Amino acid sequence: MQRSRRSETDAVGLIQPVSAGIVSAITGFASSFVLVVAGLRAVGATEAQASSGLLAVCVASGLCCILLAWHFRMPISFAWSTPGAALLVAAAGVTDDFGAAVGAFLVCGALIVLCGLWPMLGRAITSIPRPIASAMLAGILFPICLAPITAAVEIPVLALPVILTWLALYRLAPRWAEPGAMLVAAIGIAVTAGNSMLEGASLGPTLQFVGPSFDPVVIVSLGLPLFIVTMAGQNVPGFAVMSTFGFAVPPRPVLVASGAGSMLAGLFGGHVINLAAITAALMAGPDSHPDPKKRWPASVTAGVLYVLFGLAAGGATTLISAAPPILITAVAGLALLGALVTSVASALENVDRRIPAIATFLVTASGVSIVGIGSAFWGLLVGAVVMIVTTIGRPRERLQPPNEQNQVSSS
């Protein structure tokens, strides 16, 4: 009798973390899979290669969630790098050779593994001034977040229902704003495209090996910025979120697993995976389970769903390929508005470093390409130079903007 009651209690107690895992997986996938496909297409992937890449990062993320959460009995969760996918979209034109892009993905994954094995490198990356790193990310996101405005003007019949749905759900149920917007977009695309959307389409899951090539220019333009935004924009916040909920996540196995998983996924077109940050809060927080020791099934559940969602990569890619590109970018832009706000706020919170941050933002957002190297790299470089010139050896009070100097002196 006692055993049956205990079993019932355990089953009821399992419902909560499993539900949290389901919500997290649906939210994470639906809110940004369009960005992954758009990013891969922007750097030269065919429709089949983009589908393979989406499947690869889904499976890699899912397996890392399952294995590490199970082993450490913690709600450790992984996801693809959303800022990294945004970087690929912003880097359109840097290369149309997807093999070279895959080479950059492999370099990024290898550097993440190296961070796990050699902590000094991880500390060096995380020591990049936060205003500069945040401003670079904001510059990457800014053009994408302009897309809803452009889409509303160019294709109002398709774009306005998506934007209004996002706005209404953001007010009523913020967690479902992006999935709801994507659902409305999918309906609009299906109605507009009709039966032609399925002609010649491959809806089944397929992995396609992509032979890498290592182009130094593409590695500098894509690989290094991808590594930096993934570490600074995803992995570091991911560790911070877990720490907030009392979980001391061991960095070495997490970084080695995500880096190795990224390299394996890269061979099939995936860009990079990392420790989850936003969805991690859903699974690691008290909403998952009152007892922290019983929250890890949420990550296992999310991992299983990510693998299953990966099996739908062919259909997802077919849907996206049938849509006007500006509509897909608009949906991604709505999903990234929160990240843009956070990045801008972080970039400008330190008064002394606002000018270097703005310089980084402007250069990155400009999309300039010099000697074939994309704007994200140049944004970092310019920001570093401006920071050195404007801050080294100068008294702190001289760094205040004129209006703030007046306020300080008058007080």
Side-chain angles (χ1 to χ4, degrees):
M1 188 71 175
Q2 291 180 348
R3 286 183 180 179
S4 62
R5 289 180 179 176
R6 185 179 301 173
S7 299
E8 291 176 3
T9 302
D10 292 342
V12 172
L14 193 61
I15 291 175
Q16 197 170 350
V18 167
S19 300
I22 292 173
V23 171
S24 299
I26 293 174
T27 304
F29 182 87
S31 64
S32 59
F33 78 90
V34 293
L35 191 61
V36 175
V37 175
L40 295 176
R41 294 298 300 270
V43 291
T46 65
E47 182 177 333
Q49 289 171 332
S51 175
S52 175
L54 179 59
L55 172 57
V57 291
C58 282
V59 172
S61 299
L63 291 179
C64 285
C65 283
I66 294 168
L67 296 175
L68 271 75
W70 184 283
H71 179 75
F72 290 104
R73 292 299 196 268
M74 294 183 191
I76 302 173
S77 55
F78 295 81
W80 55 66
S81 174
T82 300
L87 172 65
L88 300 184
V89 173
V94 168
T95 182
D96 57 2
D97 179 0
F98 192 52
V102 166
F105 300 163
L106 296 180
V107 169
C108 173
L111 288 173
I112 294 174
V113 171
L114 194 57
C115 280
L117 299 177
W118 188 25
M120 185 179 295
L121 177 60
R123 287 194 293 270
I125 295 301
T126 55
S127 67
I128 294 175
R130 187 167 66 173
I132 298 296
S134 297
M136 181 187 72
L137 180 56
I140 292 168
L141 300 178
F142 181 68
I144 300 172
C145 291
L146 288 177
I149 302 171
T150 306
V153 174
E154 293 183 0
I155 46 172
V157 174
L158 288 175
L160 288 177
V162 173
I163 295 171
L164 293 175
T165 298
W166 178 87
L167 185 61
L169 287 175
Y170 189 82
R171 174 66 178 85
L172 301 173
R175 189 176 295 174
W176 298 101
E178 288 83 13
M182 187 60 234
L183 178 61
V184 172
I187 293 172
I189 295 166
V191 171
T192 304
N195 294 331
S196 62
M197 184 176 70
L198 300 178
E199 293 178 1
S202 176
L203 302 182
T206 56
L207 280 176
Q208 186 173 114
F209 176 79
V210 182
S213 61
F214 297 93
D215 184 335
V217 172
V218 178
I219 289 172
V220 172
S221 298
L222 288 182
L224 294 182
L226 184 60
F227 167 61
I228 292 171
V229 299
T230 298
M231 286 296 296
Q234 291 287 115
N235 279 330
V236 172
F239 283 111
V241 167
M242 295 297 289
S243 177
T244 299
F245 292 110
F247 295 101
V249 177
R252 173 168 292 188
V254 165
L255 293 176
V256 170
S258 63
S262 296
M263 295 177 70
L264 184 59
L267 293 174
F268 298 96
H271 62 308
V272 64
I273 66 171
N274 48 245
L275 191 65
I278 299 173
T279 54
L282 300 176
M283 292 178 278
D287 288 342
S288 177
H289 199 284
D291 184 356
K293 295 180 180 179
K294 296 182 179 180
R295 295 174 189 170
W296 63 269
S299 293
V300 174
T301 303
V304 172
L305 281 182
Y306 267 118
V307 174
L308 294 177
F309 286 151
L311 301 179
T317 306
T318 298
L319 177 71
I320 294 168
S321 298
I326 187 61
L327 179 64
I328 296 304
T329 309
V331 175
L334 293 172
L336 293 171
L337 281 175
L340 176 63
V341 170
T342 301
S343 299
V344 171
S346 178
L348 300 180
E349 67 180 357
N350 188 327
V351 174
D352 297 348
R353 295 181 175 179
R354 284 179 180 171
I355 295 300
I358 286 296
T360 302
F361 169 79
L362 292 174
V363 174
T364 304
S366 71
V368 297
S369 177
I370 304 173
V371 297
I373 299 175
S375 62
F377 173 82
W378 296 117
L380 278 177
L381 183 61
V382 168
V385 171
V386 173
M387 178 171 288
I388 291 172
V389 172
T390 58
T391 63
I392 298 299
R394 295 188 63 183
R396 184 178 180 84
E397 61 271 16
R398 292 180 63 188
L399 301 177
Q400 303 282 357
N403 61 329
E404 293 190 23
Q405 288 183 30
N406 294 337
Q407 292 175 5
V408 171
S409 60
S410 64
S411 61

